[in-house]
């Protein structure tokens, strides 16, 4: 019932890359420069970046066309759904409840998963760290995030996972087995 997704962890594939190199790559794709030669001759795409915090959003500030938080999200989402090219859009702590089908999102970057906010959630996460339950929750958040760009069987999207923790969910069979079959 789900469309196609290509999931990559670029920093795990090439450890010599820095995070800014990935950000620049995403910016180039949004501009239509798939080869990185500055030509912008390829189709422009909407690239959506999910970040768990304002601090992570700030790292994308020089690359983003729009940065949205819960309060100012609706207008940008409506523009994307209408097929408008916006470019690189950063969504702060919005891993569920936003549907971006088709050309609204062709490249999705998950730059971390939300961390526990309340003291009780933080204690629970600390107690569960390294357990199968913790891993399952992390993979669930990643899959929720991926759902922003892949809505139905006709949809497709490339997904980039940033960070060692997220890359580990693809490399370690214990984590990889927690992903849904899609």
């Amino acid at each position: 019932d789900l469309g196609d997704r290509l999931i990559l962890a670029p920093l795990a594939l090439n450890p010599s890359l820095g995070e800014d190199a990935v950000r620049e790559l995403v910016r180039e794709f949004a501009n239509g420069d798939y080869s990185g030669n500055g030509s912008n001759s390829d189709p422009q795409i909407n690239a959506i970046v999910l970040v768990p915090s304002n601090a992570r959003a700030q790292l994308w500030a020089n690359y983003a066309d729009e940065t949205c938080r819960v309060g100012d999200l609706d207008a940008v989402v409506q523009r994307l759904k209408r097929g408008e090219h916006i470019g690189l859009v950063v969504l702060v702590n919005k891993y569920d409840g936003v549907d971006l089908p088709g050309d609204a999102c062709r490249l999705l970057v998950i730059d971390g998963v939300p961390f526990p906010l309340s003291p009780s959630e933080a204690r629970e996460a600390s107690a569960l760290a390294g357990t199968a339950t913790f891993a399952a929750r992390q993979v669930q958040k990643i899959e929720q995030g991926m759902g922003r760009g892949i809505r139905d069987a006709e949809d497709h999207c490339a997904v980039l996972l940033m960070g060692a923790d997220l890359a580990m969910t693809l490399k370690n069979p214990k984590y990889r087995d927690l992903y849904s079959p899609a």
Side-chain angles (χ1 to χ4, degrees), residues 142-162:
I142 293 168
E143 285 204 317
Q144 278 181 325
M146 284 191 286
R148 301 316 91 226
I150 303 138
R151 303 307 308 163
D152 61 35
E154 301 301 316
D155 217 349
H156 63 277
C157 181
V159 179
L160 301 182
L161 301 181
M162 287 192 53

Side-chain angles (χ1 to χ4, degrees), residues 33-139:
D33 181 11
Y34 300 178
S35 64
N37 65 8
S39 70
N40 295 351
S41 59
D42 300 303
Q44 294 179 330
I45 62 166
N46 285 316
I48 308 300
V49 180
L50 302 179
V51 296
S53 66
N54 287 323
R56 289 306 291 178
Q58 188 59 37
L59 297 172
W60 287 90
N62 292 335
Y63 304 93
D65 294 301
E66 296 276 353
T67 298
C68 302
R69 289 157 187 82
V70 173
D72 58 8
L73 182 68
D74 290 338
V76 172
V77 168
Q78 290 309 313
R79 288 171 54 203
L80 289 165
K81 285 183 173 182
R82 284 194 304 266
E84 193 174 320
H85 175 261
I86 297 175
L88 197 155
V89 178
V90 177
L91 303 181
V92 180
N93 203 12
K94 198 62 183 159
Y95 290 72
D96 56 7
V98 175
D99 299 333
L100 300 169
D103 289 338
C105 177
R106 288 295 179 213
L107 176 59
L108 176 70
V109 179
I110 301 179
D111 187 2
V113 293
F115 43 85
L117 298 176
S118 73
S120 63
E121 289 173 335
R123 281 191 304 275
E124 182 180 343
S126 177
L128 292 174
T131 67
T133 301
F134 184 82
R137 289 181 182 178
Q138 188 173 33
V139 169

